[in-house]
Amino acid sequence: MTLRAALRSKSAFSGLLSQLSSCSSHGRVCVSPVLVAQRRNNSTSPKIKVDFDQSTGVAVMHMQSPPVNSLSLDFLTELCIGVEKLEMDKSCRGLIITSSQPKVFSAGLDILEMYGKSPESCGEFWKAVQEMWLKLYSSNMVTIAAINGSSPAGGCLMSMTCDYRIMADNPRYSIGLNETQLGIVAPFWFKDTMLNTVGHRTTELALELGLLYNPSEALKIGLVDKLVPEDQVLTTAAQTMTKWLAIPEHARQITKSMMRKPTIDKLTSNREADIQNFVKFITKDSIQKSLRMYLEMLKKRKA
């Protein structure tokens, strides 16, 4: 069974997009240009590497899909299967997610999965995005995002699914849901995830303006929980994980479910409608034209 087939056979959840690349906020230019517009090669090299230490019960998931860990269908499928395997292993109690790529955590959803594709392909892709969100947001494991680079759009969404976020204190890095900058609307569950993280008014401003925050700004609004020097992100994540794992597991898991279940239920009960809404939106001529112009701009910038 292929990875895609395996993903299709699993239950999923629901959601919308986030793109990647460069975009200005607060007068800054925020990373990820040709980044996500790279064409997916057919390499069989794994896009996800998992190191599981059975003595501590902690796994570290390294995203390693050059150049910027863009969330393609193949990438999302591999990530979901990796998370599910860890979830089924009762000796695994904690998961740290980080990047092996320099200067970027994840640049967000792969635009090429949404441009010039059939409605069926777009639907399959969206199902994979849903799967990623629900697997991480509902995980029984303690999850920590070790954000060692920029994390716009889908990368920001992934980090917000985690219980705790540690970011490299580098003013050149940015994080946020910047969809509106490309004329795209973040779906309700992106909105709800951010709302649960930073509150209503901050979410309203962030989403309407498509804001990207530097690390100190992200810490101030609660989008991340801690800043550390770049070379200390992973070690700090491991130290923080020890504190979380010291909490009685049953009580922590029930509390996490209590906090997140309404958001999860809202998505699962509207999953198919959400897929249809996404497909209807992304295949509009005006949106496809917008994506085409964006890709052409990236090509010129690369040249």
Side-chain angles (χ1 to χ4, degrees):
M1 178 184 280
T2 65
L3 286 180
R4 282 189 196 190
L7 178 60
R8 275 196 224 101
S9 68
K10 296 185 173 71
S11 66
F13 322 95
S14 130
L16 174 329
L17 116 23
S18 54
Q19 78 294 295
L20 10 51
S21 82
S22 85
C23 171
S24 68
S25 117
H26 308 343
R28 283 192 318 280
V29 173
C30 311
V31 203
S32 354
V34 70
L35 309 171
V36 196
Q38 99 264 20
R39 295 209 167 267
R40 205 190 316 128
N41 58 34
N42 293 320
S43 166
T44 56
S45 58
K47 302 178 188 306
I48 300 290
K49 185 181 91 163
V50 177
D51 295 322
F52 177 39
D53 185 341
Q54 291 189 314
S55 66
T56 62
V58 177
V60 180
M61 178 174 281
H62 303 267
M63 297 183 288
Q64 52 178 29
S65 182
V68 291
N69 296 323
S70 54
L71 306 182
S72 65
L73 178 57
D74 290 343
F75 181 97
L76 289 165
T77 302
E78 203 171 317
L79 184 146
C80 289
I81 290 174
V83 171
E84 183 159 307
K85 284 180 178 177
L86 294 173
E87 201 79 57
M88 291 171 66
D89 186 341
K90 296 309 174 187
S91 66
C92 183
R93 301 174 58 217
L95 172 64
I96 296 170
I97 302 175
T98 194
S99 169
S100 295
Q101 303 307 313
K103 302 179 182 179
V104 65
F105 180 73
S106 170
L109 301 197
D110 190 339
I111 251 184
L112 293 172
E113 296 284 7
M114 299 174 278
Y115 175 67
K117 299 290 186 179
S118 68
E120 293 74 22
S121 294
C122 290
E124 182 184 13
F125 173 62
W126 204 238
K127 208 168 186 180
V129 180
Q130 297 172 347
E131 179 90 352
M132 177 272 290
W133 184 84
L134 271 168
K135 283 213 178 309
L136 290 174
Y137 203 59
S138 65
S139 175
N140 280 323
M141 298 180 288
V142 175
T143 53
I144 294 178
I147 309 166
N148 52 348
S150 285
S151 193
C156 177
L157 180 75
M158 182 189 295
S159 69
M160 287 193 297
T161 66
C162 294
D163 296 303
Y164 199 81
R165 288 165 292 285
I166 299 166
M167 189 171 187
D169 192 5
N170 184 332
R172 295 173 63 87
Y173 296 160
S174 59
I175 184 170
L177 295 180
N178 59 322
E179 278 75 10
T180 52
Q181 293 274 356
L182 282 188
I184 294 170
V185 179
F188 71 87
W189 49 282
F190 276 50
K191 178 265 295 179
D192 288 345
T193 307
M194 192 168 204
L195 191 68
N196 294 346
T197 305
V198 300
H200 190 281
R201 180 57 178 161
T202 300
T203 297
E204 186 174 31
L205 291 171
L207 293 185
E208 287 194 34
L209 297 173
L211 298 179
L212 289 172
Y213 301 90
N214 67 32
S216 61
E217 292 167 338
L219 180 66
K220 186 177 180 180
I221 66 169
L223 188 53
V224 299
D225 300 298
K226 192 169 190 173
L227 301 183
V228 297
E230 197 162 343
D231 61 354
Q232 295 177 29
V233 172
L234 255 184
T235 54
T236 304
Q239 292 163 2
T240 303
M241 180 65 77
T242 301
K243 295 177 183 177
W244 279 74
L245 292 180
I247 304 298
E249 191 166 58
H250 188 58
R252 181 194 59 75
Q253 289 176 348
I254 290 175
T255 302
K256 179 176 182 176
S257 175
M258 179 175 64
M259 295 297 296
R260 297 187 174 197
K261 191 174 186 298
T263 307
I264 291 167
D265 288 349
K266 185 176 174 182
L267 179 55
T268 53
S269 63
N270 291 284
R271 178 184 169 192
E272 289 305 320
D274 181 62
I275 293 174
Q276 294 307 313
N277 287 340
F278 170 76
V279 171
K280 184 178 179 181
F281 176 80
I282 208 67
T283 55
K284 280 183 178 178
D285 289 343
S286 59
I287 301 302
Q288 287 293 302
K289 181 181 178 182
S290 193
L291 294 177
R292 184 179 72 250
M293 290 171 63
Y294 184 70
L295 288 168
E296 288 172 354
M297 180 267 289
L298 291 182
K299 283 182 184 177
K300 288 177 184 175
R301 188 174 294 179
K302 184 180 180 182

